[in-house]
Every structure is written in structure tokens, then in C-alpha cells.
Amino acid sequence: MGKLKVYLMSIPVIIIYNKNGYFLHGNPASEALEYYKRDDFKGKHLMDIYDLKEEYSTVLTVLRTQKPVVNRCDRFKTRTGKDLTTINSGYPLKIKGELYGAVVFESDLSVLRQIKNRTLNLESYVESDNYEDSEKLYTFDNIVHSSKNMEEMIHNF
């Protein structure tokens, strides 16, 4: 899962909870970041999933205040013992003014570092006077694929 995991880690983590703080859904990127399977978390309360204090939870703050929380840094530990530092934005999910739950978008700090490094590499590449001798930022090996046809096309180049 090497290249797939790197690809998934560059996608924002999206997790949805009901109005009482119970897990409803997480996208594949959330599974990759936190090493879980969605079915393991379904129906569990946020406080049973993570080792954190209620006042330090973006999701529980959103549910309590019914207002968005944007770009908040959360440090917490998964129940498996993995330490995580994420930048979170959470939003209440309302229909006709009634709270139904919350959605949180997480970015792992390591992903933010990768984006920063990629941006710095791109800037130095663009500013370079000698494009022919510059190191390539990406090669065909960087393409994430699962199709045999795509693999053949890449290797025929």
C-alpha cells in the first residue's frame, strides 16, 4: 500500500459524526491516517475512539456551539496509541436550522510538511535557469494506478 498510502495522505481526511458525537462515516484517507477500518468505528462515540479531553475536540466544540471551528490544531492519541497532530476545520450539519451532526476536515502535520516541501521544490525548479539539467520533480513512477492498461502505457513511454 506504499504509493496508495502516500496518495491517500495527500487527500483531506473527512469524518462525519451525528449530533451526539457518534461516528457515522470516514473517508479512506481517514482510515490511512489513523490506521482503522470504518466498520470498527461505526456507532462508537468520539470519546471512545480517541484518548482526548472533551474540551480539546474540534467535533465536540462544533456540536456544543453549533458554530464552525476553522484551522484548529488538535493533538490527541488514538486508542491504538498513535500520537496525532492535525489541523482541523469542523462544521455543523444542519437542516432547516436543526443540528444533525458535524463534519471535520483534518490535515495531518506530516502532509502539510510534504505540501510545503513540494511547493519549495516547485519554486526552485521554476526559478532555475537551466531546466534541462534540473532534477525532475515528478516521473512516471509517481503516478498512482491500479489498472494494468495504465501500467503498460506508463512503461511504454
Side-chain angles (χ1 to χ4, degrees):
M1 185 168 139
K3 286 185 180 182
L4 179 59
K5 183 172 183 187
V6 170
Y7 169 73
L8 287 174
M9 296 306 290
S10 65
I11 297 172
V13 170
I14 302 169
I15 305 174
I16 301 170
Y17 294 89
N18 75 8
K19 67 181 179 180
N20 297 314
Y22 287 88
F23 180 93
L24 294 176
H25 180 76
N27 70 342
S30 70
E31 290 178 297
L33 173 65
E34 300 180 21
Y35 301 109
Y36 76 92
K37 296 284 181 215
R38 280 175 272 184
D39 292 340
D40 296 341
F41 282 9
K42 276 199 177 161
K44 289 189 178 178
H45 193 273
L46 178 87
M47 298 298 290
D48 295 328
I49 296 171
Y50 303 106
D51 185 15
L52 70 129
K53 294 183 179 182
E54 189 170 334
E55 61 269 19
Y56 297 123
S57 166
T58 297
V59 172
L60 295 177
T61 300
V62 168
L63 292 173
R64 186 178 62 252
T65 64
Q66 296 190 27
K67 294 182 180 175
V69 173
V70 180
N71 291 330
R72 176 169 145 174
C73 181
D74 282 352
R75 290 183 176 91
F76 55 96
K77 193 176 277 207
T78 66
R79 290 293 178 190
T80 61
K82 181 181 179 189
D83 288 318
L84 289 173
T85 301
T86 58
I87 305 299
N88 299 339
S89 292
Y91 302 90
L93 299 173
K94 293 182 177 183
I95 299 174
K96 295 183 180 176
E98 185 178 341
L99 181 68
Y100 279 84
V103 61
V104 66
F105 300 91
E106 294 180 359
S107 293
D108 180 36
L109 222 44
S110 66
V111 172
L112 296 175
R113 284 188 196 110
Q114 286 175 1
I115 291 168
K116 177 184 170 193
N117 290 340
R118 200 175 317 149
T119 302
L120 291 174
N121 289 341
L122 183 59
E123 284 178 13
S124 64
Y125 178 77
V126 169
E127 291 173 0
S128 170
D129 291 335
N130 193 351
Y131 295 112
E132 296 300 320
D133 294 336
S134 296
E135 184 178 322
K136 292 183 174 115
L137 288 176
Y138 299 100
T139 67
F140 283 109
D141 291 333
N142 298 114
I143 298 174
V144 177
H145 61 85
S146 59
S147 160
K148 189 71 176 162
N149 290 339
M150 182 66 133
E151 182 178 346
E152 288 172 9
M153 185 175 82
I154 290 169
H155 291 292
N156 286 334
F157 253 96

